[in-house]
């Protein structure tokens, strides 16, 4: 078992990572001294695979678990599902010391985290992320929340879990496309923070694609460490944390203009990172050899590295980027790479430079 400590004073918690941790969850719960009642919030894909076993092992350990299943998919990250979960929690008589277990991907994590943050003004919660994306991204940082019709993640709370358990074995049942999408975030951590981790991912891509549990445990742990360090340097989200948005300015815009659903988030930020890499060459003098390695590693994962964006779509792309908060005076701000492992944030790039790149 690998442990990553997330240091946040009295809200510090551990992320445990390993191949078969789900069965030991009751043991870990015991060390946290929580109440006996708990609700496992999960979705319709993950629940049927993992919730029954978890429920019975918790039961055997003396807990009183209940399973709350929501429909799989982003649509469940909304106020109606929150309401449904609140009702389920109160029917199961959860009280202040009871706890919520989020068993699923980022959707379930954000939803269940928000429910736990607000039910009875906050009860403990444990994250059991089951997608690669949620293991390397949403399990660190304490952001929970839901979508409104007006946009994604508009309502939420910073709320830290008491424990995160990443069972690399659960990634075996993840659909390949979802799994590969998560690799885009893994590669990102190498580019923004750690050149030797980038080398490692580059070298081990075939094993990563085979979901080798040992390799995965290392990869997930290193990503959590990096995110935790970056977030720890900047809890208020004023500066450094922005580097986590590498590839996301263009990536989010691509998601928005192509209609949510065409590209998975990881696919859109794969294209976004490759474009940001090429911008980095123009603006920051990133070496062509680094541009080529970065592009190749995304391709080796099976991720898209380019999208044809027609002239009218380009106009919409710019509108979407301007809408994405990180803009001042008609110049869009980017995270750009100086070399693999070192990036700079808040770099203003004229729109002309971006459109030249899109048309080249
Ligand atoms: N809180 C944060 O810091 C943070 C960070 C990044 C993303 N997010 C959020 O995460 C969400 C996306 O997360 P996601 O990519 O994990 O999507 P997801 O939760 O929708 O999971 C993707 C799909 O895989 C299925 N699935 C999950 N685990 C499985 C398993 N082990 N076996 C088989 N199927 C499985 C799910 O049912 C779903 O169909 C978005 O809503 C995003 O806003 C939050
Ligand atoms: Zn992302």
């Amino acid at each position: 078992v690998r442990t990553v400590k997330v240091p946040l004073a009295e809200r510090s918690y551990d992320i445990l990572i390993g191949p078969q941790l789900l069965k030991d969850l009751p043991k870990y719960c015991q060390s946290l001294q929580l109440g006996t009642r708990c609700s496992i919030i999960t979705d319709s894909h993950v629940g049927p695979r993992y919730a029954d076993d978890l429920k019975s092992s918790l039961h055997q350990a003396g807990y009183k678990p209940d399973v709350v299943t929501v429909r799989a998919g982003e649509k469940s990250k909304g106020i109606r599902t929150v309401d449904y979960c609140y009702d389920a929690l109160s029917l199961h008589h959860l009280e202040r010391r009871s706890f919520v277990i989020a068993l699923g991907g980022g959707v379930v994590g954000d939803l269940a985290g928000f429910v736990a943050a607000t039910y009875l003004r906050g009860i403990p919660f444990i994250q059991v992320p089951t997608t690669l994306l949620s293991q390397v991204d949403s399990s660190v940082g304490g952001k929970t929340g839901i979508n409104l019709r007006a946009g994604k993640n508009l309502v939420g709370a910073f709320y830290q879990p008491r424990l995160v358990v990443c069972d690399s074995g659960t990634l075996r049942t993840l659909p390949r496309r979802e799994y590969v999408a998560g690799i885009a975030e893994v590669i990102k951590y190498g580019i923004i923070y750690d050149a030797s981790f980038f080398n490692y991912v580059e070298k081990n891509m075939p094993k990563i694609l085979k979901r080798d549990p040992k390799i995965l445990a290392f990869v997930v742990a290193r990503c959590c460490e990096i995110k935790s360090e970056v977030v720890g340097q900047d809890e208020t989200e004023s500066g450094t944390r922005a580097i986590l948005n590498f590839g996301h300015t263009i990536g989010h815009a691509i998601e928005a203009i192509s209609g949510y659903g065409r590209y998975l988030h990881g696919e859109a930020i794969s294209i976004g990172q490759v474009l940001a890499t090429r911008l980095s060459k123009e603006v920051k003098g990133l070496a062509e050899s680094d541009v080529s390695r970065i592009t190749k590693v995304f391709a080796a994962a099976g991720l898209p590295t380019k999208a044809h964006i027609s002239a009218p779509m380009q106009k919409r792309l710019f509108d979407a980027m301007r809408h994405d908060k990180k803009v001042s005076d008609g110049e869009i701000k980017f995270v750009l790479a100086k070399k693999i492992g070192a990036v700079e944030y808040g770099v203003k790039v004229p729109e002309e430079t971006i459109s030249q790149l899109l048309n080249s």
Side-chain angles (χ1 to χ4, degrees):
V1 183
R2 287 173 185 271
T3 305
V4 175
K5 294 196 175 297
V6 183
L8 294 164
E10 74 282 1
R11 285 172 292 117
S12 302
Y13 62 92
D14 287 350
I15 304 175
L16 307 179
I17 302 136
Q20 280 188 353
L21 294 186
L22 204 51
K23 61 171 178 28
D24 295 328
L25 193 78
K27 189 177 85 191
Y28 300 126
C29 291
Q30 270 153 359
S31 66
L32 296 172
Q33 303 188 313
L34 307 164
T36 54
R37 289 188 176 272
C38 57
S39 290
I40 302 164
I41 300 182
T42 187
D43 77 20
S44 53
H45 293 156
V46 180
R49 291 183 165 89
Y50 302 106
D52 277 354
D53 282 354
L54 181 59
K55 186 180 175 185
S56 51
S57 64
L58 283 163
H59 189 75
Q60 270 166 26
Y63 290 100
K64 297 191 175 67
D66 181 43
V67 178
V68 183
T69 308
V70 305
R71 201 173 301 161
E74 186 74 27
K75 282 211 179 89
S76 282
K77 239 179 82 173
I79 196 73
R80 287 164 138 218
T81 322
V82 170
D83 186 39
Y84 171 78
C85 292
Y86 288 151
D87 282 343
L89 265 48
S90 59
L91 277 173
H92 191 52
H93 304 292
L94 292 207
E95 36 86 29
R96 296 299 292 270
R97 287 186 58 238
S98 311
F99 58 104
V100 167
I101 298 174
L103 173 68
V107 165
V108 165
D110 282 9
L111 167 76
F114 182 70
V115 166
T118 47
Y119 183 74
L120 303 179
R121 298 196 182 81
I123 62 173
F125 100 106
I126 294 175
Q127 288 249 37
V128 184
T130 61
T131 63
L132 183 57
L133 181 116
S134 59
Q135 294 193 355
V136 301
D137 193 347
S138 38
S139 54
V140 189
K143 285 190 189 175
T144 71
I146 55 168
N147 306 325
L148 299 181
R149 265 184 296 269
K152 267 180 63 95
N153 300 321
L154 289 179
V155 170
F158 277 101
Y159 195 62
Q160 306 296 341
R162 299 289 296 275
L163 176 72
V164 178
V165 174
C166 298
D167 183 331
S168 349
T170 59
L171 300 181
R172 295 213 152 267
T173 56
L174 196 59
R176 184 174 172 92
R177 190 176 167 200
E178 295 285 350
Y179 180 76
V180 167
I183 299 177
E185 302 281 2
V186 170
I187 297 169
K188 180 189 81 179
Y189 289 110
I191 300 172
I192 64 170
Y193 205 78
D194 184 347
S196 69
F197 182 62
F198 182 91
N199 298 346
Y200 180 91
V201 171
E202 192 178 44
K203 215 181 260 150
N204 290 288
M205 189 56 82
K207 286 182 186 155
I208 294 174
L209 286 167
K210 282 196 192 115
R211 311 187 199 188
D212 179 310
K214 269 207 189 127
I215 300 255
L216 266 179
F218 170 74
V219 164
V220 170
R222 186 65 194 130
C223 292
C224 290
E225 269 168 20
I226 294 173
K227 184 164 179 191
S228 163
E229 274 175 43
V230 172
V231 171
Q233 289 163 15
D234 178 23
E235 252 200 274
T236 54
E237 236 181 286
S238 47
T240 331
R241 194 170 179 156
I243 68 171
L244 296 168
N245 282 326
F246 181 72
H248 281 58
T249 306
I250 302 178
H252 282 151
I254 290 175
E255 283 180 273
I257 64 165
S258 54
Y260 286 98
R262 169 145 156 59
Y263 290 109
L264 295 176
H265 174 71
E267 295 165 350
I269 62 148
S270 172
I271 299 167
Q273 288 181 83
V274 172
L275 285 169
T277 297
R278 292 172 58 203
L279 268 185
S280 302
K281 186 187 164 189
E282 295 297 315
V283 179
K284 286 279 145 199
L286 177 70
E288 176 57 36
S289 55
D290 281 356
V291 177
S292 144
R293 283 177 72 196
I294 292 173
T295 311
K296 278 189 185 139
V297 80
F298 285 107
L303 284 159
T305 55
K306 52 185 168 227
H308 174 73
I309 304 171
S310 64
M313 285 305 259
Q314 278 187 33
K315 198 182 157 298
R316 291 183 51 205
L317 187 83
F318 279 105
D319 286 342
M321 283 196 283
R322 285 187 212 106
H323 202 75
D324 198 38
K325 304 183 281 223
K326 298 165 214 76
V327 182
S328 63
D329 313 326
E331 287 185 308
I332 300 170
K333 284 190 195 166
F334 280 88
V335 180
L336 296 181
K338 289 177 286 186
K339 56 181 184 190
I340 291 173
V343 291
E344 214 174 283
Y345 62 89
V347 187
K348 289 183 188 164
V349 179
E351 294 193 3
E352 264 178 48
T353 315
I354 306 166
S355 45
Q356 272 166 19
L357 177 73
L358 291 172
N359 295 321
S360 69

